[in-house]
């Protein structure tokens, strides 16, 4: 028994901890939350997979076009029928083992090679636009926050 400041007595129970303490897990990191959210959502997983394939295709464009055998600016006059106004030979726009996605009418350029190299241009434009709007948004936001008043409006 122990004495209390008001003159009374109290009994204190002492509890002894048994076993190992449970590890204290902090909240999941933002990277872990994003990964678990994406892996649980089939639509998001499909979109991320598609974007990864497009980015890899754009990065490896020279290698991929060497495998296909046709560059984006090479003309294949044998793949088009000039008697019919430049219509590709064969069914479905000239799709064959030689031209995986067919050829352009009238000039015979390989569509697969043009799509692969076009992905590079599209990704460059989208990243540039994102970077530019991000920089402009930060600068304008900082000016509005610093000067307030009419600038903020």
């Amino acid at each position: 028994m122990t004495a209390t400041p008001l003159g009374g007595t109290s009994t204190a129970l002492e509890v002894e901890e048994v076993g190992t303490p449970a590890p204290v897990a902090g909240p999941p990191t933002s990277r872990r939350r994003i990964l678990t959210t994406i892996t649980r959502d089939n639509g998001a997983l499909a979109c991320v997979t598609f974007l990864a394939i497009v980015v890899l295709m754009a990065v490896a464009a020279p290698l991929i076009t060497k495998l296909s055998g046709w560059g984006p600016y090479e003309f294949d006059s044998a793949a088009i029928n000039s008697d019919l106004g430049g219509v590709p030979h064969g069914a479905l726009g000239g799709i064959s083992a030689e031209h995986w996605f067919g050829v352009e009418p009238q000039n015979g350029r390989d569509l697969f090679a043009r799509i692969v190299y076009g992905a590079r241009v599209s990704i460059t434009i989208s990243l540039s636009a994102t970077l530019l709007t991000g920089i402009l948004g930060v600068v304008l936001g900082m000016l509005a926050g610093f000067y307030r008043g009419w600038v903020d409006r």
Side-chain angles (χ1 to χ4, degrees):
M1 290 212 196
T2 59
T4 61
L6 297 175
T9 60
S10 68
T11 57
L13 296 175
E14 292 185 22
V15 178
E16 186 177 320
E17 293 187 30
V18 179
T20 59
V24 178
T29 61
S30 61
R31 181 178 294 156
R32 182 177 289 163
R33 278 188 308 197
I34 290 170
L35 288 176
T36 56
T37 302
I38 288 173
T39 54
R40 288 182 182 163
D41 185 8
N42 290 336
L45 188 61
C47 290
V48 168
T49 304
F50 176 75
L51 285 175
I53 289 171
V54 170
V55 169
L56 286 174
M57 180 182 68
V59 169
L63 177 65
I64 292 173
T65 55
K66 284 185 182 182
L67 291 174
S68 71
W70 292 95
Y73 305 111
E74 295 178 25
F75 296 98
D76 185 11
S77 57
I80 57 172
N81 188 350
S82 56
D83 295 336
L84 295 176
V87 176
H89 287 293
L92 303 173
I95 294 177
S96 65
E98 196 172 338
H99 299 286
W100 300 344
F101 286 4
V103 294
E104 283 186 338
Q106 297 181 353
N107 60 22
R109 291 186 291 187
D110 188 58
L111 288 177
F112 179 74
R114 295 186 57 77
I115 288 171
V116 169
Y117 272 92
R120 297 178 112 186
V121 175
S122 296
I123 290 173
T124 302
I125 290 171
S126 65
L127 290 178
S128 300
T130 302
L131 185 66
L132 179 67
T133 56
I135 290 171
L136 283 175
V138 167
V139 168
L140 293 177
M142 288 173 61
L143 286 174
F146 185 74
Y147 288 111
R148 299 184 180 222
W150 68 271
V151 177
D152 194 15
R153 280 186 241 121

